[in-house]
Amino acid sequence: MDDRMLMNVLNCLEKYKEKPIALKQKGFVSSQFYIKKLVYGIENDILTIKDDIDKTHFSINFNQVYDVKELKNSLCFSLDNDIDVEILIF
């Protein structure tokens, strides 16, 4: 992920901070879960998204992300292994 994409992701996540979100994963593995109060951190190119209330978490390796799209109420990551991860804000 280049620096421009990273800054875009950080700006979006800052807007979503402490808000409820849905996280959807599509591809050869599919899942969906909800986070009531978003907190996040980045360490060693790994984005970790956590729920500050019930400690649910999800991690994405930025080295696997080849595209990021920001839509009106969502942020979508396209990963190398044909998986899309979408963060939807309520």
Side-chain angles (χ1 to χ4, degrees):
M1 175 181 295
D2 64 33
D3 290 341
R4 180 187 54 79
M5 274 197 264
L6 178 60
M7 290 308 299
N8 187 34
V9 168
L10 293 175
N11 288 335
C12 288
L13 289 173
E14 196 58 34
K15 290 187 284 189
Y16 299 173
K17 194 173 181 179
E18 298 187 1
K19 294 183 180 175
I21 64 162
L23 205 146
K24 294 182 180 183
Q25 178 179 337
K26 300 177 217 168
F28 68 89
V29 174
S30 295
S31 65
Q32 176 176 325
F33 59 92
Y34 298 94
I35 291 180
K36 298 173 191 108
K37 188 175 180 183
L38 172 72
V39 294
Y40 69 93
I42 299 173
E43 186 174 335
N44 299 324
D45 292 330
I46 307 281
L47 167 66
T48 301
I49 296 171
K50 297 180 183 179
D51 189 332
D52 201 30
I53 295 173
D54 67 14
K55 304 305 179 200
T56 301
H57 72 278
F58 186 85
S59 296
I60 299 172
N61 183 336
F62 278 152
N63 294 321
Q64 297 295 312
V65 175
Y66 68 85
D67 190 29
V68 178
K69 291 181 183 141
E70 180 184 6
L71 303 173
K72 183 177 179 185
N73 291 318
S74 69
L75 187 61
C76 185
F77 298 90
S78 297
L79 282 68
D80 289 340
N81 53 1
D82 295 329
I83 290 180
D84 291 326
V85 176
E86 187 174 14
I87 300 171
L88 301 161
I89 184 103
F90 295 111

